[in-house]
């Protein structure tokens, strides 16, 4: 496969952009191939729930101990990824008396999924330029 650089913010997140992950490829054709492979992987796992021009959203494959609903967006040689919803798959014992087990409620990323998804769609070129120019200095 192609080599790429993963870029993400690991600190406390306060802006929408800090919730995103970027995969930077040497060429748009490499990124397009990777995007196609990701699409097929999501499709094979649980299907694609939403899609548009250059993007799709669905449940992320190969995740342990959680279910993650993510969006993947292709912008030239950069793939932008956003986790829209995270659900822990660890059971929680509510009471020692009856061993009642519940499944926790979804944990939001701090931004409404519709807002974060719309943010990526509306700002994909600016986000690509941000990661290439300001973060990586190309």
């Amino acid at each position: 496969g192609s080599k790429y650089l993963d870029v993400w913010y690991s600190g406390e997140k306060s802006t929408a952009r800090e919730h995103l992950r970027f995969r930077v490829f040497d060429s748009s054709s490499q990124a397009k191939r990777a995007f196609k492979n990701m699409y097929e992987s999501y499709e094979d796992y649980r299907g694609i729930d939403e899609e548009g021009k250059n993007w799709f959203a669905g449940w992320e494959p190969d995740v342990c101990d959680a279910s993650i609903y993510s969006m993947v967006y292709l912008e030239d040689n950069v793939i932008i990824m956003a986790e829209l919803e995270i659900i822990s798959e660890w059971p929680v014992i509510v009471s020692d008396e009856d061993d009642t087990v519940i499944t926790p409620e979804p944990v939001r990323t701090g931004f409404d999924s519709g807002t974060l998804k719309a943010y990526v769609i509306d700002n994909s070129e600016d986000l690509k330029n941000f990661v290439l120019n300001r973060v990586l200095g190309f």
Side-chain angles (χ1 to χ4, degrees):
S2 298
K3 293 181 182 176
Y4 58 85
L5 180 65
D6 248 341
V7 178
W8 73 96
Y9 181 69
S10 63
E12 187 174 327
K13 295 163 178 53
S14 60
T15 68
R17 188 170 58 201
E18 292 169 345
H19 284 269
L20 304 177
R21 222 169 112 199
F22 303 89
R23 284 194 178 162
V24 180
F25 294 82
D26 288 335
S27 70
S28 58
S29 61
Q30 289 175 337
K32 188 180 246 183
R33 250 189 326 273
F35 179 83
K36 181 181 177 219
N37 290 339
M38 291 175 79
Y39 183 95
E40 290 171 357
S41 180
Y42 277 68
E43 181 67 35
D44 290 344
Y45 178 59
R46 286 177 62 179
I48 303 298
D49 294 323
E50 306 172 77
E51 64 184 298
K53 186 177 185 216
N54 297 335
W55 69 272
F56 66 87
W59 294 97
E60 194 172 322
D62 305 320
V63 176
C64 296
D65 304 329
S67 291
I68 301 175
Y69 189 76
S70 349
M71 171 192 198
V72 180
Y73 194 104
L74 174 65
E75 182 65 42
D76 194 25
N77 67 320
V78 177
I79 293 177
I80 304 166
M81 296 170 285
E83 293 178 346
L84 304 178
E85 184 175 354
I86 302 170
I87 301 171
S88 172
E89 297 295 348
W90 283 95
V92 176
I93 297 175
V94 177
S95 166
D96 287 336
E97 294 174 10
D98 63 7
D99 290 335
T100 302
V101 176
I102 63 165
T103 302
E105 290 295 315
V107 176
R108 303 286 176 195
T109 61
F111 290 88
D112 177 85
S113 63
T115 302
L116 190 55
K117 182 173 62 174
Y119 173 75
V120 172
I121 292 169
D122 294 342
N123 297 285
S124 62
E125 188 171 345
D126 290 339
L127 290 166
K128 176 197 80 166
N129 291 333
F130 167 77
V131 76
L132 292 178
N133 300 323
R134 291 205 36 219
V135 176
L136 298 176
F138 292 156

